[in-house]
Amino acid sequence: DIEGRALSTISEWLNGNKEAGVSEEAAIFAASEVSTSALSFMPLADPQLAQLKLLPRNEVAGIYVHDFLLWSAGFLLDGRRRVKEGFMQLFAANDKNGDGVLEFAEFSSLIRLVIPTDPTFDLDERKISSLYDEAASMDGDDDQDSISKEAFSEMACANALVCPPQFIPS
């Protein structure tokens, strides 16, 4: 049972065995599980698998748990950074008047492009208004009539909105 072995290895590491290792198979399984969870913004792809396979190994060819956990954290952070950049590019492409901010009408049409495919996500005018207010409050200024691309990106990530893949940098 790959999952059980991975958990017991991590438990050994947490209990002080710094040489604990996890098999490549278990590491790939764990990384795949994390990449499809709500924690991840990006799926696991070939470049990340190649990096994972290059992680340092212990004497029994297990990937050091410490290195695997650091790699996993980096994978999650890089995914979030790339998706935030994608949301900023999407913002720029939908800033119709080119003024660098979104007014409510621009925001309302843009937000419909990034709603999750989850059927329980209800997108009515109140929800759009609530998301707009959330993004406007992230700007840190008193202007609640428009939002910046940074605030839009933060709000979109915080609400698990889906950035179209063509906007996500590789």
Side-chain angles (χ1 to χ4, degrees):
D1 166 10
I2 294 172
E3 189 173 354
R5 287 192 316 237
L7 290 175
S8 73
T9 302
I10 290 172
S11 176
E12 285 177 37
W13 179 78
L14 290 172
N15 287 315
N17 181 357
K18 301 302 182 201
E19 297 298 313
V22 61
S23 72
E24 185 175 293
E25 180 184 47
I28 291 171
F29 173 80
S32 296
E33 289 295 307
V34 168
S35 75
T36 58
S37 75
L39 296 173
S40 181
F41 290 87
M42 300 293 297
L44 187 63
D46 289 341
Q48 290 87 18
L49 282 174
Q51 290 174 347
L52 178 62
K53 291 177 180 183
L54 294 174
L55 290 176
R57 313 287 173 126
N58 64 17
E59 65 280 350
V60 291
I63 297 171
Y64 288 111
V65 173
H66 175 78
D67 291 308
F68 175 66
L69 292 174
L70 287 174
W71 176 88
S72 297
F75 169 75
L76 292 172
L77 290 172
D78 183 57
R80 181 174 172 82
R81 179 194 56 77
R82 290 174 52 213
V83 168
K84 284 177 75 173
E85 287 177 24
F87 278 125
M88 286 189 234
Q89 289 181 22
L90 178 67
F91 175 103
N94 286 275
D95 178 12
K96 301 298 182 202
N97 60 6
D99 64 355
V101 295
L102 293 181
E103 287 77 29
F104 185 77
E106 292 171 310
F107 178 86
S108 184
S109 62
L110 173 57
I111 205 70
R112 295 176 195 286
L113 300 174
V114 296
I115 59 170
T117 56
D118 179 359
T120 64
F121 193 89
D122 183 27
L123 189 66
D124 58 16
E125 288 304 313
R126 277 187 303 194
K127 179 67 174 176
I128 293 172
S129 183
S130 173
L131 291 170
Y132 185 83
D133 291 344
E134 181 181 339
S137 70
M138 290 178 172
D139 266 336
D141 58 24
D142 293 333
D143 182 11
Q144 298 287 311
D145 295 332
S146 63
I147 60 173
S148 69
K149 66 182 177 183
E150 292 82 7
F152 172 76
S153 180
E154 277 296 322
M155 178 280 307
C157 287
N159 287 280
L161 301 181
V162 179
C163 186
Q166 66 268 27
F167 291 96
I168 299 173
S170 44

